[in-house]
Amino acid sequence: MEEELKCPVCGSLFREPIILPCSHNVCLPCARTIAVQTPESEQHLPPLLHSRGPAPPAAAAAAAPGATAGSAACLDSECAAGAGGDHADKLSLHSETDSGYGSYTPSLKSPNGVRVLPLVPAPPGAAAAPRGAGPASSSLTCPQCHRSASLDQRGLRGFQRNRLLEAIVQRYQQGRAAAAAAAKCQLCDRSPPEPAAVLCEQCEVLYCAACQLRCHPARGPFAKHRLAPPPAHPGAPGGDGGGGGKGAGGARKLPTCAEHDLENYSMYCVSCRSPVCYQCLEEGKHSKHDVKALGAMWKQHKAQLSQALNGVSDKAKEAKEFLVQLKNLLQQIQENGLDYEACLVAQCDALVDALTRQKAKLLTKVTKEREHKLKVVWDQINHCTLKLRQSTGLMEYCLEVIKENDPSGFLQISDALIKRVQVSQEQWVKGALEPKVSAEFDLTLDSEPLLQSIHQLDFIQMKCRVPPVPLLQLEKCCTRNNSVTLAWRMPPLSHNPVEGYILELDDGDGGQFRVRISFSIYLCFFEVYVGKETLCTIDGLHFNSTYNARVKAFNSSGVGPYSKTVILQTSDVAWFTFDPSSAHRDIVLSNDNQTATCNSYDDRVVLGTAAFSKGVHYWELHVDRYDNHPDPAFGIARINVVKDMMLGKDDKAWAMYVDNNRSWFMHCNSHTNRTEGGVSKGATVGVLLDLNKHNLTFYINGQQQGPAAFENIEGVFMPALSLNRNVQVTLHTGLEVPQSVKQPKLPNN
C-alpha cells in the first residue's frame, strides 16, 4: 500500500494532498513547484468550461489589489507577494478541452514527465498593476497522466484537498512507527531483545543489526537472500486493525466546504462529482445538477468500490498462487539443471572412457604390427648374415686354392668347388636381397566421421516430446461395402514433430488389436497402415462385421498415446460388379460392369470385385440371352483361377454348369449331382455362399437346385462366372439372404 501513499513528484508520503481534475493526487508543496506560467503562444486560447463552475465572488474579491497574504487568492502564508507567486497561485480549472483537462506529449528532459516552462518575466510596472485587471495565465500538469489544467483567481485553493488520503497517510505513519518499535529480534540473547532491523524473506527470521552481522552475513549462501524492513504489526495503533480513523490528536475534524468555511458538506453533486454544502445549493450553483444526500452516495460508492475490490482480490490471490508456482519452478529448474549437468558429465565421461578403451585397442594393434615388422626384419638380417658369412668363407677358400701351383691337386678338388660356388650363387636368388616388409605402417585411422559426430553432438528432443494424441475426424470416417476409411489430424498448436502414424485394427470378431510387424507381414488378413498420410482406406474386410480402429503418432523420441477408439460397421450385404481388371480378354462387360458376355465360342471366366472369407452372402445372375444351348457355369473361385476354360475344371473353382434341361456340380473337373431343370432366356440363377457353415448352394428361379453343392470349403472366395458368346447375363447384388427356400429337387442317379 505504501506506493499508493507516495507523491508522484517528490516520491515521499503525501503532505497536504490535493485532487487534480484527472483524479490523481499531488502534494500541495509539489503542486506549487510544477505550476508554471503558460507560454504566450497558449494565452490566446478561449476560456473553456470550469470543472467546478465559475469562481465565487469571494475568490474574485480576494484577487483585488491589497489582498493580504492569508486571502483565498494566495496558496498559503508563504505566497504573500511577488510576481512569481502570483503566477503560481492563480489556478483555473478550465482546460484545453471541454472535459476539464487536456493532454500533451511530455518532454524527455522534464522531470517525472512534467512540462516545466520558464516563467515569463513580468513587464516593467507589473508589480504596481492591480491583480484583478488581468492576471497572467498559469498551468499545472499531472505528473502521472500528463494532462494539464489552468490556474484561475483561486489558485491551488481551487483544488479540493484529499482529507481522506491525508488521514490514511497519518494512520500509516503511526502504524509503521508502532510496528517498527514492536518488532523484536528473534535471535538476541539479551532480555528484552533488541528491536528488529531487517527481515530475511527466505529465512523468515527477524534480525537486529548485531545479530544480522553475526548470524546472517551478506556473503556465501546468504548473499542471495533478500533483506526487507520489519513487517507492519497488525495490531499496532493506527494500523489496519486499530485507530478507527482517529489520529494522534484525537477525533478528526469534519471537513468544511472549500468556499464556505463555516459550512460542513451535506450533499453530493453527481454532475460535478464533488461534495457540496447547504449554502452552495442556496446560491443556485447546482440548481440544474443531480444532487443527492452525502451519506447515501457515500454508502453507494463504498459498495461499488467493495464490489470492484472483489475482482482485484481474486486476481491478487491468483497472482500470489502464481508467484508460489514461479518460485517452485525456480527450484525445479535449479534441481533439473543440476541433474542434467550431472547426466551430461556422465555421458561425456562415458564417451571419453569408450574413446580411451578404443585408443588402447588401437595402440595394441600398432604395437603388434611393429613387433611383427621388427621380427621379420631381424630374421632376415640373421639369415642374410649367415649366408654372407658362408659365402665369404667360400670365396676366401677358393682364392687360396687358386694360388696353389699343384695342377694335379687343384684338379682333384676343382669340380667340387665349382659346384659349391654355383650352389652358393643360386642361393642369392632374385628378391633375396630385398626387405620383406616396409618401414611404413599400412594402418590408417579414419577419425573424420567421429570428429564430425563430436562437432554435431547436441541435445535431441528431450523427454515428454513424443507426439500428442491424434484427433479422429469422425465426419470423414466412413464404411463402403467391406472397406473402411479413417481420417485423423493432429491437435491445433501442436509443435511436436510427427514422422508418421500407425493405424491398428482388430479382427472384426472382438479380438485383440493386430499390429504391423514388418513392411509386408501382418498379424491379420487385412492391411494396417503405417505412413505419413492422415487418410487411410482398408479393403478386404468382412461383411456385416464390427471393427475397432485407433491411431497413434510417432517420431524420433518415441510413440505417442493412442487416439480414441472408433467403431466401424461394414455393410450387411455385399455390393459388387464384374471385375474388368481380372477378366479374360475375350470377356465383354457393359452396364457399369454388371452385364457380361463373350467374343469367343470357348468358355471364358470373369470374377467379381468382392472377396468373401466370413459370413453368409447371396447374389443372382439373370440370363439375358441364351442361344444354341450353351453350358454357362456359375459359382465361386480363388483369385488365381484359370480363366480360359469352363469354371470348375481346375482345383481353384467350385461351380454349377447348366444347359436347358439339367445341371451338374463341378470341381477339379469332377462332375457330380446331375439334377433335372435347366435355364433359358429370362431365367435367374442364385448363388448362396454360407461361410459360417462352409457350404455352397445354388438356386434356379428361386428353387434350390439339388442339395448343398459343396461342403467344408474354407478360405477366401470371389464370385465367378464362365460363359461363351451364346450367353449374356446380368449380375444383381446387395440382396438379402433368402429367408425361406423351396424344397430342393432330387438328383437323378
Side-chain angles (χ1 to χ4, degrees):
M1 185 181 70
E2 185 174 353
E3 295 298 324
E4 294 289 333
L5 306 181
K6 290 183 178 180
C7 174
V9 178
C10 63
S12 303
L13 295 177
F14 281 108
R15 295 172 296 164
E16 301 179 78
I18 59 175
I19 305 175
L20 301 180
C22 56
S23 301
H24 292 127
N25 302 277
V26 294
C27 297
L28 183 59
C30 296
R32 196 177 300 125
T33 61
I34 64 175
V36 295
Q37 183 178 358
T38 305
E40 295 180 359
S41 60
E42 298 183 10
Q43 292 183 1
H44 67 279
L45 296 175
L48 301 176
L49 293 176
H50 293 274
S51 62
R52 293 188 58 202
T68 63
S71 64
C74 295
L75 297 176
D76 50 22
S77 59
E78 297 177 1
C79 61
D86 293 338
H87 294 312
D89 195 17
K90 307 298 187 287
L91 177 63
S92 173
L93 293 182
H94 42 57
S95 65
E96 298 173 2
T97 62
D98 291 342
S99 61
Y101 47 83
S103 62
Y104 74 101
T105 303
S107 171
L108 296 178
K109 298 181 179 179
S110 303
N112 296 321
V114 178
R115 179 177 57 181
V116 179
L117 300 176
L119 293 177
V120 178
R131 291 185 180 180
S137 176
S138 300
S139 64
L140 180 68
T141 302
C142 175
Q144 290 183 276
C145 65
H146 309 301
R147 293 175 177 175
S148 59
S150 301
L151 299 170
D152 65 359
Q153 294 90 344
R154 292 174 296 173
L156 295 177
R157 298 296 182 182
F159 291 115
Q160 297 181 19
R161 187 169 176 178
N162 196 337
R163 302 181 183 275
L164 183 63
L165 178 59
E166 191 173 0
I168 294 175
V169 170
Q170 186 178 4
R171 292 204 310 270
Y172 178 77
Q173 290 175 326
Q174 295 174 354
R176 187 171 62 176
K184 300 295 183 180
C185 177
Q186 296 176 307
L187 297 179
C188 270
D189 296 333
R190 305 176 184 178
S191 182
E194 292 290 329
V198 293
L199 167 67
C200 178
E201 294 183 350
Q202 282 72 28
C203 303
E204 297 183 354
V205 175
L206 291 167
Y207 299 92
C208 64
C211 292
Q212 187 257 325
L213 293 176
R214 184 177 71 255
C215 304
H216 199 288
R219 62 178 181 274
F222 297 113
K224 296 182 179 180
H225 288 202
R226 181 180 176 184
L227 301 178
H233 196 275
D240 295 340
K246 294 184 179 182
R252 189 194 311 162
K253 181 181 179 182
L254 293 177
T256 58
C257 180
E259 300 177 2
H260 308 95
D261 295 340
L262 300 179
E263 296 290 338
N264 295 330
Y265 289 122
S266 59
M267 305 296 289
Y268 183 82
C269 179
V270 179
S271 302
C272 299
R273 296 183 180 180
S274 63
V276 295
C277 66
Y278 176 77
Q279 190 172 350
C280 292
L281 298 178
E282 288 293 329
E283 293 176 353
K285 299 177 182 177
H286 306 275
S287 59
K288 295 182 180 181
H289 294 178
D290 185 11
V291 180
K292 295 184 179 181
L294 185 64
M297 291 303 298
W298 176 50
K299 293 181 180 180
Q300 178 182 347
H301 282 214
K302 268 195 172 182
Q304 293 177 356
L305 180 59
S306 299
Q307 184 176 1
L309 282 176
N310 290 333
V312 178
S313 176
D314 294 339
K315 294 298 180 182
K317 183 178 179 181
E318 294 178 4
K320 290 182 179 179
E321 295 175 354
F322 180 64
L323 286 175
V324 173
Q325 180 182 355
L326 290 179
K327 291 182 179 179
N328 294 334
L329 184 61
L330 286 174
Q331 184 176 0
Q332 293 176 2
I333 291 174
Q334 184 71 14
E335 295 175 355
N336 291 340
L338 295 176
D339 293 340
Y340 275 103
E341 287 178 1
C343 181
L344 177 62
V345 171
Q347 289 178 325
C348 292
D349 290 343
L351 291 176
V352 173
D353 292 341
L355 187 60
T356 303
R357 290 192 298 269
Q358 191 65 23
K359 173 185 173 183
K361 292 181 180 179
L362 295 176
L363 288 175
T364 301
K365 289 184 178 181
V366 173
T367 302
K368 289 182 178 180
E369 182 69 13
R370 182 188 63 195
E371 292 176 351
H372 171 70
K373 286 179 177 292
L374 292 175
K375 183 178 182 301
V376 171
V377 173
W378 276 114
D379 290 343
Q380 195 172 8
I381 289 174
N382 294 332
H383 180 68
C384 185
T385 302
L386 177 61
K387 289 174 60 177
L388 179 60
R389 185 168 58 248
Q390 293 175 352
S391 298
T392 304
L394 180 60
M395 288 172 55
E396 292 177 352
Y397 176 68
C398 290
L399 290 175
E400 292 297 328
V401 171
I402 291 173
K403 292 178 181 180
E404 293 293 331
N405 296 323
D406 185 3
S408 59
F410 178 82
L411 292 174
Q412 286 179 347
I413 62 174
S414 60
D415 291 335
L417 287 177
I418 292 172
K419 290 181 179 179
R420 287 183 61 189
V421 171
Q422 290 176 349
V423 171
S424 178
Q425 184 179 359
E426 291 174 357
Q427 290 180 355
W428 300 99
V429 296
K430 184 179 180 180
L433 298 179
E434 294 179 359
K436 295 182 179 180
V437 294
S438 66
E440 300 296 331
F441 282 76
D442 297 331
L443 299 175
T444 302
L445 181 62
D446 186 12
S447 60
E448 187 63 26
L450 180 58
L451 290 175
Q452 291 181 359
S453 300
I454 292 175
H455 291 314
Q456 295 173 359
L457 187 63
D458 200 352
F459 296 101
I460 61 172
Q461 296 175 351
M462 305 306 289
K463 60 183 180 180
C464 301
R465 294 284 293 176
V466 296
V469 180
L471 302 178
L472 288 170
Q473 296 181 278
L474 299 181
E475 68 278 4
K476 296 183 180 180
C477 298
C478 62
T479 61
R480 183 181 181 275
N481 223 14
N482 63 334
S483 301
V484 296
T485 299
L486 296 106
W488 59 89
R489 63 179 177 85
M490 296 306 294
L493 303 178
S494 175
H495 303 292
N496 298 346
V498 176
E499 296 181 5
Y501 302 93
I502 300 176
L503 176 63
E504 297 183 2
L505 203 71
D506 70 352
D507 55 7
D509 278 328
Q512 296 296 320
F513 281 87
R514 310 300 190 187
V515 296
R516 183 173 185 167
I517 59 176
S518 71
F519 288 99
S520 59
I521 302 177
Y522 298 84
L523 295 179
C524 55
F525 293 109
F526 47 87
E527 183 180 4
V528 174
Y529 176 72
V530 176
K532 295 183 178 181
E533 300 297 330
T534 58
L535 182 70
C536 178
T537 298
I538 304 174
D539 301 317
L541 302 180
H542 299 306
F543 288 93
N544 194 22
S545 299
T546 301
Y547 289 89
N548 298 294
R550 61 187 182 182
V551 66
K552 59 184 177 180
F554 65 88
N555 58 19
S556 58
S557 295
V559 180
Y562 283 107
S563 67
K564 293 183 178 180
T565 301
V566 60
I567 301 176
L568 301 168
Q569 173 72 38
T570 55
S571 177
D572 295 339
V573 295
W575 297 84
F576 58 92
T577 62
F578 292 118
D579 185 9
S581 62
S582 63
H584 193 277
R585 62 179 178 273
D586 293 335
I587 294 292
V588 178
L589 300 178
S590 59
N591 189 24
D592 293 332
N593 297 329
Q594 293 179 342
T595 300
T597 185
C598 184
N599 289 329
S600 174
Y601 285 104
D602 296 325
D603 291 305
R604 300 291 185 250
V605 174
V606 59
L607 301 177
T609 55
F612 307 112
S613 60
K614 173 186 173 184
V616 182
H617 311 281
Y618 179 76
W619 63 94
E620 294 180 345
L621 298 107
H622 184 267
V623 180
D624 301 328
R625 179 168 54 84
Y626 188 82
D627 301 330
N628 301 325
H629 310 292
D631 296 329
F634 310 89
I636 59 176
R638 306 287 191 189
I639 185 67
N640 57 344
V641 65
V642 179
K643 298 184 176 67
D644 57 358
M645 61 183 181
M646 181 182 287
L647 192 68
K649 286 192 174 184
D650 63 353
D651 61 346
K652 301 296 190 299
W654 295 257
M656 178 188 73
Y657 73 94
V658 59
D659 59 15
N660 60 334
N661 291 320
R662 61 190 67 84
S663 66
W664 293 264
F665 302 146
M666 185 166 61
H667 174 63
C668 293
N669 204 23
S670 174
H671 307 255
T672 60
N673 296 94
R674 188 184 73 173
T675 305
E676 295 297 327
V679 296
S680 60
K681 181 180 179 180
T684 300
V685 177
V687 182
L688 177 62
L689 177 62
D690 189 348
L691 291 174
N692 295 336
K693 297 181 179 179
H694 305 286
N695 58 36
L696 178 65
T697 308
F698 295 97
Y699 297 84
I700 296 180
N701 295 326
Q703 182 177 358
Q704 183 175 338
Q705 187 73 0
F710 303 98
E711 296 180 344
N712 301 322
I713 54 175
E714 293 183 356
V716 180
F717 305 96
M718 306 181 73
L721 166 71
S722 69
L723 73 171
N724 60 19
R725 65 182 303 166
N726 295 320
V727 183
Q728 177 177 306
V729 299
T730 297
L731 178 65
H732 297 278
T733 61
L735 304 177
E736 295 288 343
V737 177
Q739 298 297 322
S740 60
V741 295
K742 298 180 181 179
Q743 292 296 325
K745 296 179 181 179
L746 295 177
N748 296 329
N749 296 327

